[in-house]
Amino acid sequence: MPSENFSHKARVAERLLASLDLIDASQACALLRIETDDPGATMQAMARDDAVIALVQNGKTMLPLFQFDTGNGVIFDVVRDILRLRPARISNLMLCYWLTRAHVDFDGAPGAWVRER
């Protein structure tokens, strides 16, 4: 039975990742005007520093687009605050799920609220 549970969790994660607008590490570095020979390592280091939300999809570092101010080429300031405040038991995937789903308290998805601020 444990393999069925793992399989179910993997399918749920795949569906969630498929529902998000994601960019890869190279695209994120270009958006942020970061010149580097290793975009994946750069974005992973930023994620470890709680500067950006990073996910892994098919072995690649991917980043949810909602956290970027694409017009100004920056990460929204509130992303760092959210990452520092979240409980340790909440994974980046769970956080993205919460941020991208409509909530009555936010009159929509919190991720959309982040972009509006």
Side-chain angles (χ1 to χ4, degrees):
M1 289 264 200
S3 63
E4 287 180 22
N5 190 28
F6 175 78
S7 177
H8 175 71
K9 285 183 180 181
R11 285 192 307 272
V12 169
E14 287 173 21
R15 284 195 319 265
L16 176 57
L17 287 169
S19 73
L20 297 173
D21 288 328
L22 300 171
I23 58 175
D24 66 26
S26 295
Q27 293 168 316
C29 284
L31 176 68
L32 298 172
R33 295 182 230 39
I34 297 173
E35 293 184 25
T36 178
D37 292 332
D38 193 347
T42 300
M43 288 296 109
Q44 289 169 6
M46 289 179 70
R48 281 190 302 276
D49 190 35
D50 286 338
V52 67
I53 301 168
L55 303 167
V56 177
Q57 183 179 41
N58 299 324
K60 290 178 56 179
T61 300
M62 303 295 288
L63 301 109
L65 191 56
F66 66 76
Q67 64 189 324
F68 295 96
D69 178 346
T70 56
N72 294 310
V74 297
I75 302 163
F76 290 111
D77 291 334
V78 72
V79 171
R80 185 178 290 273
D81 297 333
I82 290 169
L83 287 168
R84 287 189 176 153
L85 291 171
R86 74 166 169 179
R89 71 183 189 292
I90 303 295
S91 70
N92 282 352
L93 189 62
M94 289 177 67
L95 181 62
C96 287
Y97 177 81
W98 185 82
L99 285 166
T100 58
R101 298 307 181 256
H103 298 275
V104 173
D105 296 333
F106 290 95
D107 195 26
W113 180 80
V114 167
R115 294 186 69 82
E116 294 171 3
R117 300 296 176 257

